[in-house]
Amino acid sequence: MKDPTITVGTRPVGDGHPCFIIVEAGSNHNGSLAQAKRLIDVAVSAKADAVKFQVFRAERLYPKSAGASDYLKDARSIYDIIQEMELPYEWLPQLSSYCREQGIVFLASVFDEESADRLDPYVAAHKIASYEMTHLPLVRHVAKKGKPTIISTGTADLSEVRETVGAFRATGNPALMLMQSTASYPAPLASLNVRAVATLKDTFGVPAGLSDHSRDPLIGPLTAVAVGANLLEKHFTISNTLPGPDHRFALEPAE
């Protein structure tokens, strides 16, 4: 069987190599470029391999009439909340350059084709989040860029993952990595289904790992490594007390 090791930047990801650690800043920049750079500093201090943000546009995700969201625990419309969390496109070259200077890989999840196009010049790899993994036009669009791609599988069953993997590989891009994820924030430890990491590796012959949304800093990651995870991802913030929907379940710097 062909060695499924994939290189992200200068880092090999696969069996026989150290686990590739991604810390997820997401939208915890709160609209401040200075705070985004501070998050990168935290990631560097933690010796993570990569720091990841999210690039989306509310108008591509929700109609203005979408209403409120129980999960976000905010009385405002979800459209307004998501719009406030957007990362400006003009930050991309600055964040990429800042990461390069600090010796850490810059990544971002994309949720639409335009965002993928804007991001592509500034990343060595792409990420597609769980909620978009069955969005096959986006999967194909990203795959055709020819770069290593990480896809989270938190909302899918194995047959849906198989369809997504088939669509990705049909573009001729072999550089695919998968992540087990539980789309709950924070995810209860009992819901993590960590053995799915081994299932993804064995079924598809790709590097696989855990995108851990639990609040515990160690149990999910250590268990994932024990079953052979090649990648790990964990949300983080500067402080759980900051305003915004993602701060409360993210790890703080000391964690």
Side-chain angles (χ1 to χ4, degrees), residues 127-131 133 151-158 160-161 164-165 177-183 196 200 204 209 211:
K127 171 71 190 292
I128 295 176
S130 292
Y131 290 113
M133 73 143 287
I151 301 180
S152 283
T153 62
T155 58
D157 60 27
L158 199 59
E160 289 172 312
V161 177
T164 295
V165 170
M177 295 161 277
L178 297 174
M179 300 194 89
Q180 159 61 10
S181 177
T182 301
L200 293 171
F204 301 107
S211 179

Side-chain angles (χ1 to χ4, degrees), residues 147-209:
K147 291 182 177 177
T149 302
I150 303 164
I151 301 180
S152 283
T153 62
T155 58
D157 60 27
L158 199 59
S159 65
E160 289 172 312
V161 177
R162 186 172 284 108
E163 184 177 14
T164 295
V165 170
F168 186 94
R169 286 176 167 165
T171 66
N173 185 345
L176 176 64
M177 295 161 277
L178 297 174
M179 300 194 89
Q180 159 61 10
S181 177
T182 301
S184 178
Y185 307 88
L189 285 173
S191 74
L192 297 187
N193 192 19
V194 176
R195 283 181 61 85
V197 173
T199 300
L200 293 171
K201 289 178 68 173
D202 293 344
T203 303
F204 301 107
V206 298

